[in-house]
Amino acid sequence: MKMFTAEHPPRGTLLSSWFITGFAEGEGGFTCSRNGKSFSVYFSIRQRQDYADLVDEVRRFFGVGKVYRCQARGKTQASCYYRVSRWNELPVIVAHFRQYPLQSLRKQKAFEAWASLIRARGWRGSGGSLDQMEAAAQTLSRLNTRPRLRARAT
């Protein structure tokens, strides 16, 4: 497994560590899904296909994860999706955002809940407390849910 080190970003990448943090602040997602007692954890960035070169650079920067190309459907434009979901690759993402923290309180709290879900599971899949994982997943879900805007009466 590639570990995050002081030599990051790798030579040849055009992106700085703080750019990555700022980009993730606006465009990144720290999410999870659950199937029974099994949890899946994801870090992702989605962009329109015309920004595919930038998404590829983010993948090169971290050295982990995959980039998926999504076809246009109906009114939805073609897009590019970067995702890190392998348990042995997630520590690279955690290390980056520990060293270069997110600036908005809401996104930082979402990251902390997401990272605690990974920590509760155990880095090597040893399994953590199901209660800890459920609590972290609920916190993350609450933080990732955007409040709906209500129309004002005129």
Side-chain angles (χ1 to χ4, degrees):
M1 172 181 78
K2 184 173 187 162
M3 291 303 296
F4 184 82
T5 65
E7 287 84 40
H8 235 341
R11 291 179 191 201
T13 186
L14 303 173
L15 308 178
S16 74
S17 298
W18 282 112
F19 174 87
I20 293 291
T21 295
F23 191 57
E25 185 90 49
E27 302 295 331
F30 300 99
T31 58
C32 70
S33 62
R34 181 174 179 187
N35 184 5
K37 293 183 180 181
S38 176
F39 287 85
S40 297
V41 180
Y42 313 95
F43 169 70
S44 63
I45 294 175
R46 183 182 298 270
Q47 290 289 293
R48 292 187 330 223
Q49 189 63 36
D50 51 339
Y51 291 105
D53 56 338
L54 180 57
V55 175
D56 290 334
E57 278 296 312
V58 171
R59 197 277 174 219
R60 251 189 306 283
F61 176 90
F62 283 118
V64 296
K66 291 185 178 183
V67 175
Y68 301 91
R69 310 288 191 224
C70 305
Q71 300 294 323
R73 290 186 197 150
K75 294 181 181 180
T76 304
Q77 295 182 8
S79 63
C80 196
Y81 180 64
Y82 171 63
R83 185 172 84 174
V84 181
S85 58
R86 291 183 179 201
W87 288 101
N88 66 333
E89 294 179 343
L90 293 168
V92 173
I93 305 301
V94 172
H96 172 82
F97 291 106
R98 290 269 185 249
Q99 190 169 356
Y100 300 93
L102 296 149
Q103 300 300 298
S104 75
L105 185 58
R106 186 176 186 92
K107 191 69 119 181
Q108 181 62 29
K109 283 183 176 181
F111 165 73
E112 292 299 338
W114 181 82
S116 70
L117 184 57
I118 296 167
R119 192 173 43 255
R121 180 187 184 268
W123 292 113
R124 299 199 184 278
S126 59
S129 159
L130 185 59
D131 290 340
Q132 289 174 321
M133 294 179 78
E134 286 176 346
Q138 287 174 0
T139 300
L140 183 59
S141 177
R142 190 173 55 255
L143 289 166
N144 283 339
T145 302
R146 291 189 176 135
R148 293 182 183 205
L149 297 176
R150 293 185 181 162
R152 287 192 240 174
T154 55

